[in-house]
């Protein structure tokens, strides 16, 4: 009973304070939200108690999940490290005209017998600035990439709804602009990307643009496609549908489409005006360097009205940290184990790797590192061994073997022998020729040919 009274007294104390305060247990679930925090959060506050906070910025179908994610402390707090961060509810100005961005201190709570107990979040009274000072008793926020990722998703979601095209490099910005143009156009689109580049996901992003979420999308795997399926699909998509959104035929790996299926597709296209859009993926352009089509010309031209090429990670290393953070937070969103990000050493290792299998390989590496990490961040030691082996092999790269040109090699040997013979003969060409076992005229010709003697005119008495 005394313990219950103590807990009730603590709750009354926090209920009375003017700063927003909330608490989480060791399972990352919100167990308490004081009245000041409820007022700050608005109408969603009542649904938060009992919600699990996961450290991610992935979009969610309901309003509660992303709000709970925004309230999630940096994972360091659950490892016994005090931390702080700014929480911005991303809705601009509240009904009271006050900013809803607050800076919170996160205090780890622990008991002597069970260790980790929970985290207490307490807001500061002052409005946070863009660069809040780091308190001497608190760690700097580990979520710099997390905050940058949230801001990136927020801006891109509002602008083009292509927030999965993450990156800050010029190549990433150009790719987003081209995708946005494709989303607003009706032209057929070809998405070029090597294995692992997730070209299919990019093609689906183009289809599911704002306002077209309900439009039918029919994906076909071209390597397995036969003429009968081609005919049935085109006829089905061409059938009139009252009030339906314009459908999209998604041709996956169109550069591997069998010849019979190509002919059938071209025949179907020639018989009717297509009431649907075509988006295709391929690992290489459909036209070679001489502008000759690699498929039937009518098909190649039709699906290449607008071409968008993905950019491999190896060509945009500046984007690797943000992409890796996004992939890590995807893992956070799916399991209970929560990580804040990567150490600087781990990011350096990721940026130095050449990523032959592109985004798929980075996702695999991040998943393995997330499972191996024991602290709040992925360290260099948590990364798969193959990254270190690749870096070591690059440092120890073999020098290219020099090509030996036999004629040049023999010429250098002959030059050396002639110089030695002349040196021993003290410049006497007759004696040098005898030492070399050749005639004097032949010695002279070789000296001229090898640049050891001017060849304007032979000495007096020499045959020409």
């Amino acid at each position: 009973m005394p313990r219950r009274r103590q807990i009730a007294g603590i709750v009354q104390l926090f209920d009375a304070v003017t700063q927003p305060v909330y608490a989480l247990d060791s399972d990352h679930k919100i167990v308490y939200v004081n009245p000041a925090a409820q007022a700050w959060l608005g109408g969603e506050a009542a649904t938060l108690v009992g919600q699990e906070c996961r450290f991610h910025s992935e979009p969610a179908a309901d309003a509660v999940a992303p709000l709970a994610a925004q309230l999630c402390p940096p994972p360091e707090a659950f490892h016994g490290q005090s931390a702080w961060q700014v929480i911005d509810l991303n809705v601009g100005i509240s009904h009271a005209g006050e900013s809803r961005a607050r800076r919170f201190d996160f205090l780890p709570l622990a008991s002597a017998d069970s260790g980790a107990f929970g985290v207490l979040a307490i807001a500061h009274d002052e409005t946070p600035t863009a660069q809040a000072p780091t308190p001497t008793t608190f760690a700097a926020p580990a979520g710099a990439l997390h905050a940058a990722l949230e801001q990136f998703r927020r801006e891109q979601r509002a602008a083009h709804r292509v927030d999965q095209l993450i990156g800050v490099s010029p190549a990433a910005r150009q790719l987003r602009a081209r995708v946005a143009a494709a989303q607003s156009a009706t032209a057929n689109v070809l998405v070029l990307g090597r294995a692992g580049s997730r070209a299919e996901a990019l093609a689906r992003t183009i289809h599911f643009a704002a306002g077209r979420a309900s439009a039918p999308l029919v994906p076909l795997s071209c390597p397995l496609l036969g003429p009968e399926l081609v005919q049935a699909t085109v006829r089905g998509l061409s059938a009139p549908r009252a009030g339906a959104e314009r459908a999209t035929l998604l041709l996956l790996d169109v550069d591997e489409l069998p010849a019979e299926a190509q002919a059938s597709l071209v025949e179907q296209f020639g018989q009717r005006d297509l009431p649907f859009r075509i988006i295709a993926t391929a690992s290489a352009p459909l036209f070679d360097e001489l502008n000759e089509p690699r498929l039937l010309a009518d098909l190649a031209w039709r699906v290449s009205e607008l071409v968008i090429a993905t950019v491999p990670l190896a060509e945009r290393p500046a984007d690797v940290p943000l992409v890796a953070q996004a992939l890590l937070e995807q893992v956070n969103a799916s399991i209970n184990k929560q990580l804040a990000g990567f150490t600087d050493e781990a990011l350096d290792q990721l940026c130095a790797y050449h990523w032959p299998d592109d985004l798929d390989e980075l996702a695999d590496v991040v998943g393995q590192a997330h499972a191996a990490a024991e602290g709040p961040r992925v360290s260099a030691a948590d990364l798969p061994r193959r990254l270190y082996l690749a870096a070591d092999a690059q440092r120890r790269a073999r020098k290219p073997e020099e090509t030996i040109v036999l004629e040049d090699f023999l010429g250098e040997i002959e030059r050396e022998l002639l110089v030695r013979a002349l040196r021993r003969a003290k410049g006497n060409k007759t004696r040098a020729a005898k030492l070399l076992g050749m005639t004097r005229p032949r010695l002279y010709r070789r000296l001229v040919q090898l640049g050891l003697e001017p060849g304007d005119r032979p000495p007096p008495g020499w045959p020409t």
Side-chain angles (χ1 to χ4, degrees):
M1 183 67 70
R3 183 177 177 83
R4 289 186 178 179
R5 289 200 195 100
Q6 291 174 350
I7 294 175
I10 294 174
V11 169
Q12 290 177 0
L13 176 65
F14 283 124
D15 281 348
V17 300
T18 57
Q19 305 107 292
V21 175
Y22 61 95
L24 303 92
D25 63 14
S26 57
D27 293 326
H28 295 209
K29 291 183 178 179
I30 298 175
V31 294
Y32 170 75
V33 181
N34 79 340
Q38 294 177 28
W40 173 62
L41 293 167
E44 304 94 337
T47 60
L48 282 173
V49 174
Q51 286 290 324
E52 183 179 357
C53 291
R54 293 183 177 177
F55 191 75
H56 70 89
S57 58
E58 290 294 297
D62 60 274
V64 178
L67 181 59
Q70 285 182 297
L71 297 179
C72 185
E76 288 91 339
F78 290 98
H79 288 260
Q81 302 176 27
S82 298
W84 64 268
Q85 71 179 17
V86 174
I87 297 177
D88 187 349
L89 297 186
N90 305 334
V91 292
I93 304 300
S94 71
H95 64 278
E98 298 176 354
S99 171
R100 297 182 71 184
R102 301 296 295 265
R103 176 188 155 181
F104 279 80
D105 290 332
F106 296 95
L107 307 175
L109 306 175
S111 60
D113 53 348
S114 61
F117 182 72
V119 173
L120 182 66
I122 304 176
H124 275 241
D125 287 331
E126 70 271 13
T127 301
T129 58
Q131 296 293 331
T134 303
T136 56
T137 56
F138 292 88
L145 280 176
H146 173 74
L149 183 62
E150 280 192 325
Q151 181 179 357
F152 175 88
R153 288 192 190 281
R154 194 158 59 245
E155 293 173 351
Q156 295 304 317
R157 191 178 296 117
H160 308 304
R161 297 186 181 272
V162 289
D163 57 300
Q164 66 268 49
L165 299 173
I166 294 166
V168 295
S169 67
R173 289 196 294 269
Q174 184 179 33
L175 180 60
R176 287 196 294 274
R178 292 184 66 83
V179 169
Q183 287 181 323
S184 60
T186 58
N188 297 331
V189 182
L190 175 66
V191 180
L192 299 177
R194 65 184 186 182
S197 65
R198 302 188 172 182
E200 179 181 350
L202 186 58
R204 290 176 180 271
T205 296
I206 293 170
H207 168 75
F208 290 112
R212 289 208 301 268
S214 61
L217 176 68
V218 181
L220 293 177
S221 179
C222 289
L224 307 176
L225 200 56
E228 298 81 7
L229 183 56
V230 167
Q231 295 171 14
T233 303
V234 173
R235 282 198 298 266
L237 288 174
S238 300
R241 294 184 303 276
E245 295 271 3
R246 187 168 183 247
T248 296
L249 175 62
L250 177 56
L251 298 175
L252 301 172
D253 301 315
V254 71
D255 49 337
E256 299 180 30
L257 186 64
E260 290 184 357
Q262 292 182 42
S264 179
L265 204 53
V266 170
E267 181 183 1
Q268 293 295 313
F269 291 164
Q271 292 178 358
R272 54 178 59 86
D273 292 331
L274 301 182
F276 56 87
R277 186 186 200 185
I278 300 173
I279 301 178
T281 68
S283 58
L286 302 186
F287 295 87
D288 61 18
E289 294 80 3
L290 300 176
N291 207 31
E292 292 295 327
R294 293 191 168 95
L295 302 177
L296 291 179
D298 289 347
L299 176 60
W301 285 113
R302 185 177 288 268
V303 301
S304 300
E305 292 177 357
L306 179 60
V307 179
I308 298 176
T310 63
V311 184
L313 282 174
E315 297 179 14
R316 49 186 185 110
D319 294 336
V320 171
L322 206 58
V323 176
Q325 181 73 21
L327 294 170
L328 180 111
E329 293 189 13
Q330 286 179 13
V331 181
N332 280 351
S334 62
I335 63 175
N336 291 330
K337 183 179 180 181
Q338 304 290 285
L339 300 182
F342 301 83
T343 64
D344 292 341
E345 294 77 11
L347 287 177
D348 289 343
Q349 198 72 35
L350 293 176
C351 292
Y353 188 59
H354 57 289
W355 303 111
D357 291 327
D358 214 43
L359 285 169
D360 282 352
E361 185 176 12
L362 178 56
D364 180 62
V365 165
V366 170
Q368 293 183 47
H370 192 287
E374 296 181 356
R377 296 200 209 179
V378 172
S379 68
D382 299 324
L383 297 175
R385 181 172 170 77
R386 70 174 183 269
L387 267 68
Y388 296 95
L389 295 177
D392 187 61
Q394 189 174 4
R395 286 193 298 268
R396 301 170 183 266
R398 293 178 59 184
K399 295 181 179 179
E401 295 184 2
E402 296 182 2
T403 305
I404 299 176
V405 180
L406 182 61
E407 185 177 348
D408 294 344
F409 182 71
L410 294 177
E412 288 300 319
I413 295 176
E414 185 179 6
R415 177 191 295 270
E416 178 66 21
L417 291 175
L418 292 176
V419 170
R420 289 187 181 185
L422 287 170
R423 190 179 297 123
R424 286 185 60 182
K426 297 183 179 179
N428 188 306
K429 294 180 176 61
T430 302
R431 187 179 173 191
K434 183 181 288 188
L435 288 172
L436 293 170
M438 62 174 62
T439 63
R440 189 179 179 205
R442 183 185 174 193
L443 170 66
Y444 182 77
R445 285 197 301 272
R446 292 306 293 157
L447 290 174
V448 172
Q449 291 169 356
L450 295 173
L452 297 174
E453 182 78 19
D456 296 337
R457 54 185 176 82
W462 281 48
T464 59

